[in-house]
Amino acid sequence: MNAGNRKLKILHVTEASCAGVGGHMLDLAEGLKQRGCENHLIYSDRRLDTSFADRLAKFSGEQSLSVSMRRMPHWSDFHARNQIVRYIAKNGPFDIIHGHSTKAGGLTRLKQIARSAKVVYTPNGIFTMNPTNGAVVSMAARWIEKWLANRSAAIIAVSPEERDHMRNIGLPANQVHFIPNGLRAIAWPAKTQVRKVLGIADDVVTIGFLGRLASQKNPLLMIEAFSRLRSIGDERVRLLMVGDGPLQSKARKLADQHGVSDRIDWLGYRTAQQSMPAFDVFVMPSRYEGMPYVLMEAVSSGIPIVATRVGGASMSIDHGSNGYLVPTEDPAALADAIQKLVDQPSLRSEFSAAALKKSAEFAVEKMIERTHQLYCKLIPAAATNSPSIQRSHSHVG
């Protein structure tokens, strides 16, 4: 096999082997495998969810390794780095090493990791976008991202807001490439079926939150907004909190303080398929995002959305058509938008139809194709005679 026809050999690394980031990495690896690429996966078992584990078990023919990685900086990062180095030495060389999310993006760009490979980094919501970072943390995080950018062949932004932010903090414009996330087809179960499993009556109007109960996802704002609804005394209006995380105790206490605990179902971790069809309205009150998969999933399932105006939200929501966009940290605005949809079943139906129509914009094949093109741009030898490159010459920058 000559150099022009050889297949790309890619190592994907993530600490966030769960939710959107984990799904994104597996979507990409599965699509690249179909394009003839050889994929290797390194993932952490600390935040491993059942969806990622189940899909990984079915991802036959590719090699993988579990490496314990923590989300925040920790002394164990040295051990994780050494395990990655050993894996590369044993299974390399690789053409591309792709770090997914912040921790993997940091580890894969440390000295002596990449060797001859080109390193690609997809933050999926770069940490420097976090508005709760203090001045010192923000300055340090920006300096680190700029320093690591020198060790990157390409950095992928998944939304226009993330791309603009990256450029504004000084990441080289020629390294930043905009490739929106895509969503694979989902076989959604019937609404009545999911509600039966969850014990929700058909005549109940449900407001759904689905995400990690952590600062970024802002579940406390969800509770604040829910407590402000005019219909809060109506037993037919309920809030479904799907997810777990470090703020669960605070969220429950806040619900007690507002006297709304008896109107909230705390459902713990469940996948979108196991919960989202039960929602009449989906709410995402996040402080910051890259391009959240949960919004694409809500659009795909035809649910009216209320979301804060954060990265990627405007790509999933046409304000006033399939949902509402509101300012961050504004419980009154969030509550007002939710109330409109709770009060008007006909409006929910209109938004649902618009959402289903919009879902066609999020085909996962587009994300896979554009990422493959970027890889081939970085490794020109692999681009020669590549069927996908011959089919499309769309811009990936």
Side-chain angles (χ1 to χ4, degrees):
M1 181 181 292
N2 64 49
N5 290 322
R6 68 178 178 82
K7 61 183 179 181
L8 282 168
K9 189 172 180 179
I10 305 150
L11 173 63
H12 302 272
V13 183
T14 190
E15 170 273 329
S17 35
C18 58
V21 175
H24 173 95
M25 187 178 84
L26 290 177
D27 287 342
L28 186 57
E30 290 168 358
L32 292 168
K33 181 180 179 181
Q34 294 174 2
R35 285 162 172 74
C37 300
E38 178 182 340
N39 297 272
H40 293 243
L41 309 175
I42 292 180
Y43 62 95
S44 175
D45 58 357
R46 297 189 68 87
R47 286 203 287 155
L48 179 70
D49 66 22
T50 55
S51 177
F52 186 95
D54 291 345
R55 289 184 64 186
L56 184 65
K58 298 173 185 176
F59 193 32
S60 60
E62 307 291 71
Q63 298 186 62
S64 63
L65 175 69
S66 174
V67 173
S68 182
M69 292 179 262
R70 293 176 181 263
R71 188 175 192 181
M72 300 304 291
H74 190 262
W75 64 264
S76 61
D77 293 343
F78 294 103
H79 181 60
R81 173 204 175 275
N82 291 339
Q83 286 183 281
I84 296 171
V85 168
R86 286 196 293 270
Y87 187 90
I88 293 171
K90 179 181 178 181
N91 297 283
F94 292 96
D95 296 302
I96 301 288
I97 297 177
H98 195 151
H100 300 266
S101 200
T102 302
K103 176 54 69 75
L107 290 175
T108 54
R109 291 181 291 172
L110 292 176
K111 189 176 181 181
Q112 297 179 340
I113 289 274
R115 299 195 177 192
S116 61
K118 301 290 187 181
V119 181
V120 177
Y121 169 44
T122 304
N124 259 306
I126 192 166
F127 180 72
T128 51
M129 294 177 74
N130 186 347
T132 66
N133 290 338
V136 174
V137 172
S138 181
M139 183 180 301
R142 291 185 179 207
W143 183 89
I144 291 170
E145 287 290 353
K146 290 167 69 174
W147 177 69
L148 289 173
N150 295 324
R151 301 169 183 268
S152 314
I155 301 170
I156 296 175
V158 296
S159 69
E161 294 90 346
E162 187 176 37
R163 175 198 58 201
D164 295 344
H165 172 83
M166 288 177 177
R167 292 174 176 174
N168 288 339
I169 67 171
L171 302 192
N174 64 338
Q175 286 185 326
V176 177
H177 302 264
F178 171 44
I179 303 179
N181 288 335
L183 186 69
R184 65 193 181 108
I186 298 175
W188 293 105
K191 183 173 188 173
T192 53
Q193 176 186 343
V194 177
R195 285 198 168 205
K196 183 177 181 181
V197 171
L198 297 178
I200 310 262
D202 292 341
D203 63 343
V204 171
V205 178
T206 57
I207 301 157
F209 170 98
L210 174 61
R212 189 165 178 264
L213 303 183
S215 176
Q216 179 189 351
K217 306 301 181 181
N218 212 354
L220 302 185
L221 181 64
M222 179 72 260
I223 303 299
E224 287 282 358
F226 181 66
S227 71
R228 291 171 180 247
L229 295 183
R230 294 189 302 275
S231 52
I232 196 60
D234 190 338
E235 293 183 0
R236 293 171 298 173
V237 178
R238 299 195 66 82
L239 172 60
L240 308 184
M241 293 292 290
V242 182
D244 51 30
L247 290 182
Q248 179 166 323
S249 177
K250 282 189 176 182
R252 284 177 175 268
K253 288 180 181 177
L254 185 62
D256 289 340
Q257 291 169 11
H258 285 300
V260 296
S261 295
D262 62 340
R263 297 288 182 267
I264 302 176
D265 295 299
W266 302 89
L267 299 177
Y269 170 78
R270 293 175 185 269
T271 66
Q273 283 176 288
Q274 294 170 332
S275 57
M276 197 169 271
F279 301 165
D280 289 305
V281 180
F282 173 67
V283 181
M284 191 194 78
S286 297
R287 288 189 164 100
Y288 72 100
E289 293 283 353
M291 183 179 179
Y293 272 80
V294 71
L295 285 186
M296 292 189 290
E297 289 167 339
V299 171
S300 171
S301 62
I303 304 174
I305 304 169
V306 178
T308 47
R309 198 178 293 275
V310 292
S314 62
M315 298 184 68
S316 297
I317 302 170
D318 294 326
H319 183 74
S321 175
N322 69 313
Y324 293 119
L325 293 168
V326 301
T328 58
E329 308 292 354
D330 190 336
L334 192 64
D336 286 346
I338 295 169
Q339 190 72 62
K340 290 178 185 177
L341 290 166
V342 168
D343 289 344
Q344 302 179 67
S346 60
L347 183 62
R348 295 200 301 269
S349 296
E350 291 175 16
F351 278 25
S352 177
L356 291 172
K357 185 176 181 180
K358 188 173 182 63
S359 65
E361 299 177 14
F362 303 121
V364 71
E365 290 78 12
K366 295 179 182 179
M367 180 271 290
I368 295 166
E369 181 66 21
R370 295 182 70 184
T371 306
H372 186 225
Q373 289 176 32
L374 175 59
Y375 288 171
C376 290
K377 183 179 177 181
L378 299 175
I379 311 293
T384 307
N385 297 324
S386 170
S388 63
I389 296 299
Q390 290 178 357
R391 283 197 306 269
S392 173
H393 297 282
S394 64
H395 180 54
V396 297

